[in-house]
Amino acid sequence: MPALTAGPTPLGEFVLSDVEVKAEEMWRGIGAPAFTGYSAVDPLHEIPVVEPVESVLGINMTLTPAGMETVPVKQA
């Protein structure tokens, strides 16, 4: 991810990790990023798309680190 202003890159590396993905439905294809809240204070919407990549959309999707159990959370 490029820096929005002069200075160091805010996200310089990605960490590879294994996750288990569960979802009711999933679709994949080329992503089309869009932002609904344009702001001069937070100009994230001005970052150019350099190369489109494959994206995934899931309904009720959860990601769990490989080898870990999910724990149910009780709603108050």
Side-chain angles (χ1 to χ4, degrees), residues 72-76:
V73 177
K74 293 182 181 178
Q75 298 294 324

Side-chain angles (χ1 to χ4, degrees), residues 8-70:
T9 301
L11 182 61
E13 67 180 68
F14 294 93
V15 177
L16 181 62
S17 60
D18 291 328
V19 293
E20 180 181 335
V21 180
K22 293 182 181 178
E24 287 180 24
E25 293 182 49
M26 292 183 75
W27 298 273
R28 61 189 246 193
I30 298 300
F35 296 93
T36 57
Y38 299 99
S39 167
V41 176
D42 184 14
L44 186 61
H45 64 277
E46 294 180 3
I47 296 175
V49 176
V50 177
E51 178 183 347
V53 296
E54 184 177 64
S55 300
V56 176
L57 171 66
I59 301 296
N60 292 330
M61 184 165 61
T62 58
L63 303 172
T64 306
M68 296 192 74
E69 295 181 28
T70 57

